Amino acid sequence: MMVKMEKVAKSFGSLEVLKNINFEVTKGEVVCIIGPSGSGKSTILRCLNHLERITSGSVYIEDELIDERVSGKDQLKISQKKVSEICSKLGMVFQRFNLFPHMTVLQNIIEAPITVKKVPKHEAIEYGLTLLRKVGLEDKKDEFPSRLSGGQQQRVAIARALAMRPKIMLFDEPTSALDPELVGEVLEVMKELANDGMTMIVVTHEMGFAKEVANRVLFMDKGEIMEEGTPQQIFSNPKNVRTKSFLQKVL
Amino acid sequence: MDLNKLMTYMPALLEGARNTIVLTVISVIFGAILGLFLALGRLSKNKLIDRICWFYIWLFRGTPLLMQLFFIYYALPNINPTLTLPGQWIPALLALALNSAAYLAEIIRAAIQSIDKGQMEAAKALGMSYGQAMGRVIVPQSYRRLIPPVGNELIALLKDSSLVAMIAMTELMKVTNQISTRESNAAIYLPAAVLYLAMTTIFTVVFEKLEKKYSVYE
């Protein structure tokens, strides 16, 4: 099992954003999480790489318990080094790209492999260029991010995440901040990744992408997974009332 | 005062001006280093470290620089003779550096806090530690935002450094005072003022250049 969440709950103060979340992702699977804004979709991703800490429950990455808490108290001592190791296995792509603006495209990509994984610089550059070729931006390697379009920035962000050679890619609404005409190029790169067999968890509002690429779709509402199934089941034959009403609004 | 007389005093004034610049630049360098640690301390999750840094800034921003200078120069030896600092340079540098550190700390803290939160998240998601994220991602981005307020602080410090004339440190102000007394003619303050203006102008231009240089990626 690549990712497993067991009885995960998360609260910000008195606000419960995740309630009793249980789900698993197997190797090579593409799981799309859909649902209305504020339903806790992004929080799930952020709890996997410790950007947020769960309030209770257990989280496993590659069958290893990486977080276990009961009412906000750690049940498992976890060091900074371990957190860093977990993050290296998880590549994260953000809605707002979050490229480092003071570094060129190539510097953005080689920074973490060099500082975190201590990869020799020439190897990091070589692999960085391979990844840039993969996302179709090799000619932009010496540009600063501010000179690129949103779609190009997001493709660089994907390459930056891939540079750590992650086992799982997490996408947090990767196309939501893009102009409509730039969405396609990013989804194209993500499709390619899925075809290469990458394990992916994608929080998205792109129902077309979910239908076409996902192996499994989770529908979330008010901090709970209301329904899960194949795209066929969810989109053509939703069982839950709230799934139905959500899909009616977005499709 | 005639021009010939003035010219004979020019070397003395220029040497005073040189000391003023050296004093200011060294103070601001040490002040910035201490200020960076104070700023990181203020941003620390550790409450005790935060409080200590807060206290330092409160103390040094809340009391007159002249009083701090007198405290270091006159009061410390009274408290304990082993606390006597040699000469004028060291107490002058110490007072200016400790004082500017308090101001620079707040400037640096504000610049760091103005960096988009997504930057720290992206760095952490890539596996960087807090220290790596600060050192490689956050602090370098704060440089450009630091330049205008640090330029202000440097100019303020250059002018405030005239206070060290009060402990007989021979910088521009002290030299001017001496000449004025000796000649019984205060007209010497005019060329001294021009020298101060020249120095602050140099810093203004240098900082404008720096701001351009660090703006390339925006």
Side-chain angles (χ1 to χ4, degrees):
Chain A
M1 213 57 67
M2 295 301 274
V3 175
K4 184 161 118 185
M5 275 192 166
E6 249 175 21
K7 297 193 184 112
V8 167
K10 165 76 185 168
S11 317
F12 293 109
S14 61
L15 180 71
E16 272 188 293
V17 287
L18 295 180
K19 295 172 213 164
N20 193 28
I21 299 288
N22 296 284
F23 82 104
E24 292 175 354
V25 179
T26 54
K27 196 167 177 0
E29 210 180 2
V30 177
V31 175
C32 282
I33 307 178
I34 61 169
S37 307
S39 56
K41 308 183 297 288
S42 298
T43 311
I44 288 192
L45 299 188
R46 297 164 60 83
C47 286
L48 290 175
N49 60 7
H50 281 235
L51 286 179
E52 306 282 0
R53 294 298 302 278
I54 58 174
T55 307
S56 61
S58 320
V59 181
Y60 300 80
I61 304 283
E62 285 195 300
D63 295 320
E64 185 188 3
L65 183 63
I66 58 126
D67 207 2
E68 185 176 17
R69 297 184 109 200
V70 174
S71 39
K73 300 241 160 39
D74 287 343
Q75 305 296 303
L76 174 80
K77 193 94 185 99
I78 182 153
S79 64
Q80 165 56 43
K81 208 176 146 226
K82 190 75 207 171
V83 172
S84 166
E85 200 186 302
I86 297 159
C87 288
S88 311
K89 287 184 189 175
L90 300 168
M92 177 109 168
V93 175
F94 297 87
Q95 182 177 351
R96 302 215 52 88
F97 332 133
N98 297 350
L99 291 177
F100 305 136
H102 60 306
M103 299 180 189
T104 64
V105 163
L106 186 61
Q107 284 168 341
N108 261 280
I109 293 172
I110 64 175
E111 178 60 35
I114 293 172
T115 51
V116 179
K117 285 179 118 179
K118 313 291 175 208
V119 173
K121 192 171 178 187
H122 64 94
E123 270 178 40
I125 291 176
E126 205 176 306
Y127 190 49
L129 291 174
T130 309
L131 291 170
L132 275 177
R133 220 169 296 138
K134 198 179 163 85
V135 300
L137 290 170
E138 203 187 8
D139 55 325
K140 302 284 185 198
K141 68 184 171 69
D142 295 320
E143 294 280 12
F144 284 107
S146 59
R147 300 283 303 275
L148 305 182
S149 74
Q152 291 171 331
Q153 289 191 48
Q154 195 60 300
R155 280 144 69 196
V156 173
I158 293 172
R160 178 177 71 174
L162 290 172
M164 291 297 278
R165 299 177 192 269
K167 303 280 179 63
I168 302 150
M169 284 289 283
L170 311 175
F171 292 86
D172 186 3
E173 301 195 24
T175 58
S176 296
L178 297 175
D179 291 335
E181 76 271 21
L182 303 175
V183 169
E185 60 189 74
V186 173
L187 293 181
E188 210 44 55
V189 170
M190 290 166 63
K191 256 181 240 170
E192 242 173 78
L193 261 182
N195 290 337
D196 291 348
M198 176 62 82
T199 309
M200 291 162 60
I201 306 177
V202 184
V203 170
T204 187
H205 292 295
E206 294 295 329
M207 299 302 148
F209 178 83
K211 263 185 207 166
E212 186 185 345
V213 184
N215 302 107
R216 199 144 48 93
V217 176
L218 308 186
F219 171 73
M220 276 188 80
D221 192 21
K222 301 201 173 83
E224 287 177 90
I225 298 175
M226 306 302 303
E227 189 166 354
E228 72 172 281
T230 62
Q232 174 74 13
Q233 285 166 336
I234 297 287
F235 290 108
S236 312
N237 190 18
K239 300 222 160 47
N240 189 290
V241 213
R242 279 194 261 172
T243 317
K244 282 180 193 163
S245 82
F246 173 75
L247 289 174
Q248 257 161 23
K249 275 177 224 155
V250 297
L251 287 180
Chain B
M1 189 185 293
D2 65 54
L3 200 60
N4 284 338
K5 196 100 194 205
L6 181 69
M7 288 317 287
T8 59
Y9 282 123
M10 238 12 228
L13 285 178
L14 284 173
E15 192 179 329
R18 192 203 64 190
N19 283 354
T20 290
I21 286 198
V22 173
L23 196 59
T24 306
V25 170
I26 295 179
S27 302
V28 95
I29 290 170
F30 281 102
I33 295 168
L34 180 56
L36 175 64
F37 283 107
L38 287 166
L40 292 174
R42 288 284 279 113
L43 296 169
S44 163
K45 279 193 204 114
N46 184 322
K47 281 262 158 46
L48 182 66
I49 293 173
D50 177 17
R51 292 272 168 78
I52 291 170
C53 295
W54 180 91
F55 177 81
Y56 179 97
I57 294 165
W58 173 75
L59 184 67
F60 279 88
R61 280 205 312 184
T63 55
L65 171 57
L66 187 60
M67 196 177 272
Q68 292 162 20
L69 184 67
F70 280 1
F71 187 86
I72 289 168
Y73 192 68
Y74 295 115
L76 283 184
N78 284 347
I79 292 165
N80 188 333
T82 58
L83 294 174
T84 311
L85 296 166
Q88 272 76 37
W89 272 101
I90 291 175
L93 282 170
L94 189 63
L96 291 175
L98 292 179
N99 182 269
S100 67
Y103 287 93
L104 289 165
E106 288 297 275
I107 292 171
I108 295 168
R109 181 172 69 92
I112 288 176
Q113 281 182 320
S114 75
I115 304 297
D116 176 24
K117 263 173 42 198
Q119 293 290 308
M120 179 56 96
E121 291 188 345
K124 282 194 169 167
L126 286 164
M128 291 191 205
S129 65
Y130 179 81
Q132 286 169 335
M134 272 291 172
R136 301 289 305 172
V137 177
I138 308 294
V139 173
Q141 282 182 62
S142 71
Y143 291 156
R144 201 201 69 81
R145 294 176 199 196
L146 278 173
I147 290 165
V150 168
N152 259 344
E153 173 59 20
L154 190 70
I155 286 170
L157 190 68
L158 185 125
K159 292 179 295 173
D160 287 348
S161 73
S162 60
L163 288 172
V164 303
M166 301 292 283
I167 60 163
M169 160 96 204
T170 47
E171 41 65 82
L172 182 54
M173 189 69 186
K174 181 73 188 166
V175 172
T176 315
N177 286 344
Q178 284 169 338
I179 297 169
S180 164
T181 311
R182 193 177 312 151
E183 294 291 325
S184 303
N185 186 342
I188 191 73
Y189 283 105
L190 189 63
V194 172
L195 283 177
Y196 270 112
L197 260 180
M199 291 189 284
T200 52
T201 307
I202 292 170
F203 283 127
T204 307
V205 171
V206 167
F207 272 76
E208 277 170 6
K209 288 253 156 67
L210 277 176
E211 200 179 339
K212 272 222 184 80
K213 188 184 154 207
Y214 278 103
S215 299
V216 284
Y217 61 77
E218 295 204 340

